[in-house]
Amino acid sequence: MARISEMIESKYLKQSDVEAPTEVTVYKVGKTNIAREGDEPEYKWLVRFEECKKPMVLNSTNIKLLARFCGSDDSDEWTGRKVVLYVDPDIEFGGNVVGGLRIRALPDAKPQTRSVPSKTTGGKFDDMADDIPF
């Protein structure tokens, strides 16, 4: 038997992809169109972690948390920084408790220095430019 979450493929990280809190390294941050083919464009910010095959769609809360834990409000400074990715079962959406992905600081976090990310990430943002205009 398979669970529904295993049967429905997604290009983006979802709760079922994160079994336990996991230390991850920011590889790339950018904005891309996440709309299905043929739909109106819907641009969202994404983060790719070296340890994950799929990027994570960022909501405003996770953007703010990344900025805080990476020590900068400039997303260019997040590359190479480490955070913990986990499932928070208490996240609400549309008036329902649905759970979702969250980011937190490493245990006993100290100010981080940037490391040069490896090229071992599970892929690239297909249509995301390296220089994102603001």
Side-chain angles (χ1 to χ4, degrees), residues 26 29 45 47 49 56 58-79 81-84 102-105 110-112 114:
V26 176
V29 177
W45 285 97
V47 61
F49 300 111
M56 177 180 166
L58 292 171
N59 60 21
S60 59
T61 299
N62 283 329
I63 289 171
K64 292 173 189 173
L65 291 172
L66 265 174
R68 182 185 329 156
F69 301 140
C70 291
S72 176
D73 66 352
D74 182 348
S75 64
D76 288 342
E77 295 294 318
W78 301 352
T79 303
R81 305 291 174 112
K82 294 182 181 294
V83 293
V84 175
R102 280 286 188 251
I103 294 162
R104 66 178 174 227
K110 296 177 182 117
Q112 296 188 50
R114 290 179 64 193

